[in-house]
Amino acid sequence: MSEPPSATSAVPEAAAPPAGDAIRVEGLSKLYRRTLPGDRLRTLKSALLRGSLTRGLSREESIAALEGIDFTVARGEAFGVIGGNGSGKSTLLKLVAGMLKPSAGRIVVDGRVAALIELGAGFHPEISGRENVYINGAVLGLTRRQIDRRYEEIVEFSGLADFMEEPVKNYSSGMYVRLGFAVAVHTDPDVLLVDEVLAVGDEAFSHRCVRRIEEFLASGRTLLLVSHSLDLVEGLCDRLLWIDNGRQRLVGEPRRVIDAYRQEVAEQEGEAHHAAKLQREEGGERSEELRWGSRQAEIAAVRLLAGGAERYHLETGEEAVFEIRARAAEPLTDFVFGVAVSTPRGFECWGTNTDLAGFVPGRFEGEATVRLTCPALRLAPGEYVADVAVHSRDGAPYDYMRRALTFTVTAATGGIGVYFPEHRWEFTGGIRWDDGQPPP
Amino acid sequence: MFRVAFQIFRFRGLLATLTSRELKARYRGSVLGFLWSLANPLLLLAVYTFVFSVVFKPRAEGAEPYALFVVSGLFAWIWVSTSALEGSMSLIANSGLIRKAVFPAELLPMVTVLSNLVHLLFAMPIVAVAIVTGRVLGEKVGGIGALAVPAIILLHLPMVAGLALGASALTVHFKDVRDLLANLLTFLFFLTPILYPLASIAHLRPVWWLVRLNPFTPFILAYQEALFVGRFPEPTLWLQMALVSLVSWALGAGIFERLRETLVEAA
């Protein structure tokens, strides 16, 4: 079970011996100057006189993109950075790459750095893939001869042999990434910085990238990866840093950081969902996209109940009740109530309806309350959404509410996937554990 | 200023690649391609010759034939002004490169300077042929001094580079620099003895001084001396060129260096 996140939990893991550090970041802050109208001349003046846009600015004139970041990355380590949009991840990467100068604090990077900051950055759209490989390689510090030697390898890795003479403006976004990544990893940097871009490649290429990164790490090189794909960072990284609004929240073992991050996102969403729901109840319809149907029957309210109260958060195995209040203005003789639980990404975990359960509709008129009770809802820890609908037996919707409920499931012990059966570990023979309570 | 020089030296291979790419890109999709680089000076030469030897004949002491006098200074000026103007936009035009990738930004204004230098080098043989033709036709132009032109260009290069570097970095923060520069260059064009020989304004003492102190003047005088008159420029002229070049480079590269850290944020 992950620790509850808190603003003070930014305790770095025990630092590796300095000699083995590939990246060391101490007390790092980065301010940006706010763009004020008619301020151009002052911007120029401060840039010229101080060599900085933000030195000597008051708090109102600047925005802190990052504040108080401290971490070290050991050589050979894969270090991930997660956090919401605008949390400062990319700024951090640019600082480590040396593109931006810290407003305060220190960054020490040992060795040659290659950075993949953005899709197709550093490529000239008008010229061929081949020429771009040479330009990109030269920017990363290779001589023409060194690139000559690696050219075949780069092309083979990118899988773009047939497109090398084509101007890169005709490339798809996936092709951009493939070529950019191929060049970056083949320039043998000591430290590779990757921002997000890997998610764009197709499955096969992603696998090749991951394999290549693993080889890269095995040879003692270092990776700093920024990503929204928690699955990717979990699979690849040894440790994670979670930044939230420019502040360091947690550094540590991936599972633990991701759990803490997910939990907070779920809580925020729960609150937001609750607030949105209140607003809806006060008046106004749900947006069309999330709700459709003929409205011959109408869903008035949907709640998730546990322990007799409305909840947005369940412990796995708890009794959970999906409650639907509905009304039909005209009498209906053909009706089915259904509930489907899925992950926010759309993976369906479980769904059922009154038809599947064998109920044959008789008559529905006026108001009614439908409760679906799960004596033990055994979902794996994570976030879930539920769609709720009333429709005819042939599937024509009367009222379909997408994401009618959003809730988070937690568990006392860890687990991945969507299903969390009751389980226990047993051990016999010559095995001893230093710690670990038997699961409840 | 040393870091700028060092970076340019370190990435010289990349600079060469980018410059040749720039030149190729300019004529991509055109049938005549590089021939256009020759067409422009040829056309200018033809027009000047026609206008100033057929339409009206200016009386300019020491500038006969006038068309040859004009072109011996004009192409160098075109190199300077185009480099400064295009150079001032070079960082903004390539902001994607410096904002999103680790890229040595000083290469961008340098690419403009060098690709325009190539155009000057294309124009030089045309000027040479025109002057030789003039000489064959009995005009008193040209001579062994033309051999000094490569050295003049080499000495001119740091001046143009300094101008482009400084302008590029300033424009990132202050877009007005470009318009300021465009107007200033128009003004300076007439303050430089390109369309008239310096001696022709000797009687207007204050103006003469203004023109003589214009930092572009020593270079133009040197080009005219070497190409049009056909003599090696005086040692004092070389000294003046070296001084202007040094100051321009130090100033331009210094400004660039000063603003370097802020370019990524503001470009």
Side-chain angles (χ1 to χ4, degrees):
Chain A
M1 178 61 222
S2 53
E3 285 177 16
S6 76
T8 54
S9 62
V11 184
E13 300 290 272
D21 287 345
I23 304 170
R24 198 161 71 240
V25 173
E26 292 166 1
L28 177 69
S29 294
K30 178 68 193 173
L31 302 176
Y32 284 125
R33 188 188 190 96
R34 274 185 201 279
T35 313
L36 302 173
D39 202 28
R40 284 266 150 208
L41 209 62
R42 268 185 57 212
T43 308
L44 175 69
K45 207 176 88 190
S46 86
L48 264 181
L49 294 180
R50 306 196 188 91
S52 156
L53 291 177
T54 47
R55 203 166 307 151
L57 282 188
S58 66
R59 276 205 88 76
E60 299 79 61
E61 290 170 309
S62 59
I63 303 166
L66 286 175
E67 214 168 346
I69 307 290
D70 276 286
F71 65 91
T72 53
V73 183
R75 190 161 298 135
E77 193 178 21
F79 192 83
V81 181
I82 59 171
N85 285 328
S87 58
K89 304 185 299 291
S90 297
T91 298
L92 177 62
L93 213 65
K94 285 183 183 176
L95 283 160
V96 174
M99 296 166 62
L100 295 175
K101 201 169 77 167
S103 304
R106 212 157 75 97
I107 303 171
V108 184
V109 182
D110 187 21
R112 208 155 56 81
V113 180
L116 277 175
I117 306 277
E118 204 160 311
L119 193 65
F123 280 141
H124 285 271
E126 293 292 337
I127 64 175
S128 71
R130 172 192 294 273
E131 285 174 285
N132 265 307
V133 167
Y134 279 89
I135 291 177
N136 226 306
V139 173
L140 294 171
L142 294 191
T143 64
R144 207 175 166 82
R145 207 164 314 129
Q146 284 171 316
I147 304 168
D148 280 336
R149 233 180 295 133
R150 293 164 218 218
Y151 184 75
E152 289 306 318
E153 221 182 315
I154 291 171
V155 172
E156 201 200 310
F157 185 85
S158 70
L160 296 173
D162 296 341
F163 302 98
M164 291 314 286
E165 304 307 327
E166 200 68 26
V168 298
K169 67 175 175 190
N170 296 342
Y171 282 20
S172 71
S173 51
M175 289 158 81
Y176 260 113
V177 174
R178 281 151 65 173
L179 194 60
F181 185 80
V183 177
V185 290
H186 285 87
T187 53
D188 283 327
D190 300 305
V191 178
L192 180 62
L193 311 175
V194 181
D195 190 354
E196 208 56 73
V197 294
L198 290 184
V200 182
D202 61 20
E203 195 80 352
F205 186 73
S206 294
H207 290 159
R208 221 170 333 149
C209 287
V210 170
R211 261 204 311 282
R212 178 76 203 197
I213 287 177
E214 279 163 357
E215 281 171 35
F216 176 84
L217 293 167
S219 63
R221 259 70 73 82
T222 310
L223 173 74
L224 185 64
L225 176 69
V226 165
S227 186
H228 286 295
S229 166
L230 298 178
D231 296 335
L232 180 72
V233 289
E234 188 184 1
L236 211 52
C237 295
D238 302 313
R239 282 191 307 145
L240 293 185
L241 162 67
W242 166 25
I243 3 185
D244 181 25
N245 259 323
R247 307 290 192 291
Q248 179 162 340
R249 288 294 292 271
L250 195 62
V251 182
E253 199 274 318
R255 196 59 257 176
R256 183 173 138 230
V257 177
I258 288 175
D259 276 348
Y261 174 66
R262 282 212 168 115
Q263 182 157 328
E264 178 161 292
V265 170
E267 277 166 19
Q268 282 168 358
E269 277 176 1
E271 281 164 27
H273 187 256
H274 189 67
K277 192 171 164 181
L278 283 178
Q279 209 173 13
R280 266 202 317 278
E281 281 166 2
E282 277 165 16
E285 281 285 89
R286 289 184 66 101
S287 82
E288 210 40 50
E289 254 173 81
L290 293 175
R291 188 174 186 177
W292 60 87
S294 67
R295 304 291 167 90
Q296 283 161 278
E298 198 166 22
I299 297 170
V302 183
R303 297 197 297 167
L304 176 64
L305 305 166
E310 183 168 9
R311 296 268 291 271
Y312 298 96
H313 174 263
L314 298 173
E315 193 68 20
T316 190
E318 248 187 313
E319 182 183 87
V321 181
F322 296 91
E323 185 190 81
I324 307 165
R325 279 193 289 133
R327 77 180 144 255
E330 304 288 320
L332 281 173
T333 54
D334 178 8
F335 50 89
V336 176
F337 288 89
V339 173
V341 176
S342 55
T343 67
R345 311 261 315 252
F347 178 79
E348 287 194 346
C349 308
W350 172 64
T352 189
N353 64 34
T354 52
D355 195 41
L356 291 169
F359 293 99
V360 179
R363 186 180 166 88
F364 170 29
E365 185 181 8
E367 305 235 338
T369 302
V370 177
R371 285 200 187 88
L372 169 64
T373 302
C374 309
L377 186 60
R378 300 203 173 277
L379 289 169
E383 275 177 70
Y384 296 92
V385 296
D387 293 1
V388 173
V390 50
H391 53 82
S392 72
R393 290 225 272 183
D394 63 11
Y398 299 137
D399 194 358
Y400 194 106
M401 289 175 79
R402 227 175 129 56
R403 298 181 176 229
L405 294 169
T406 304
F407 60 99
T408 309
V409 175
T410 54
T413 59
I416 56 168
V418 295
Y419 178 48
F420 200 81
E422 228 176 332
H423 61 282
R424 66 176 173 273
W425 295 89
E426 278 163 359
F427 310 101
T428 52
I431 187 166
R432 182 176 71 89
W433 304 90
D434 285 339
D435 193 19
Q437 299 293 314
Chain B
M1 62 195 260
F2 298 113
R3 176 150 175 227
V4 172
F6 171 74
Q7 287 280 88
I8 291 171
F9 177 74
R10 183 175 155 212
F11 289 106
R12 60 194 180 280
L14 180 58
L15 183 58
T17 311
L18 288 173
T19 306
S20 79
R21 184 200 73 78
E22 173 76 25
L23 290 167
K24 275 187 225 157
R26 181 166 305 190
Y27 297 113
R28 187 172 301 261
S30 77
V31 180
L32 292 181
F34 269 104
L35 287 179
W36 283 113
S37 293
L38 298 176
N40 189 326
L42 267 176
L43 189 69
L44 266 183
L45 186 68
V47 169
Y48 276 112
T49 307
F50 177 73
V51 169
F52 293 117
S53 57
V54 178
V55 181
F56 65 95
K57 301 180 177 180
R59 276 274 319 134
E61 197 69 37
E64 300 283 345
Y66 186 69
L68 291 184
F69 172 79
V70 170
V71 293
S72 49
L74 186 66
F75 291 118
W77 176 265
I78 291 175
W79 174 40
V80 175
S81 63
T82 321
S83 295
L85 282 179
E86 286 179 10
S88 69
M89 293 307 286
S90 61
L91 293 180
I92 292 174
N94 292 289
S95 68
L97 216 51
I98 52 178
R99 277 177 83 98
K100 294 167 188 166
V102 185
F103 188 87
E106 47 270 84
L107 297 192
L108 296 170
M110 287 309 294
V111 166
T112 328
V113 171
L114 292 184
S115 60
N116 282 301
L117 173 60
V118 171
H119 290 129
L120 173 67
L121 296 181
F122 271 113
M124 278 300 143
I126 293 173
V127 176
V129 167
I131 284 173
V132 168
T133 311
R135 216 178 147 85
V136 168
L137 293 178
E139 301 282 354
K140 274 195 269 172
V141 289
I144 194 77
L147 295 177
V149 168
I152 299 172
I153 292 177
L154 219 56
L155 204 54
H156 203 175
L157 184 59
M159 192 233 181
V160 184
L163 198 63
L165 279 165
S168 70
L170 287 174
T171 309
V172 166
H173 289 290
F174 204 55
K175 302 264 186 316
D176 311 48
V177 169
R178 188 183 189 275
D179 298 297
L180 211 66
L181 201 63
N183 287 297
L184 195 68
L185 284 170
T186 308
F187 183 64
L188 281 174
F189 175 68
F190 292 103
L191 267 192
T192 312
I194 297 166
L195 299 181
Y196 52 89
L198 186 61
S200 69
I201 52 164
H203 56 288
L204 297 163
R205 224 45 202 164
V207 181
W208 187 91
W209 274 110
L210 213 57
V211 171
R212 192 62 191 83
L213 291 176
N214 172 0
F216 295 99
T217 300
F219 295 97
I220 297 303
L221 289 180
Y223 284 110
Q224 288 167 348
E225 188 76 1
L227 284 167
F228 183 71
V229 185
R231 278 195 310 244
F232 283 103
E234 301 275 306
T236 48
L237 212 50
W238 289 104
L239 212 66
Q240 289 165 19
M241 287 195 284
L243 194 71
V244 170
S245 237
L246 195 69
V247 170
S248 168
W249 171 264
L251 220 63
I255 289 173
F256 193 93
E257 195 51 55
R258 197 78 197 132
L259 296 178
R260 173 194 297 282
E261 308 287 353
T262 63
L263 294 179
V264 177
E265 283 171 52

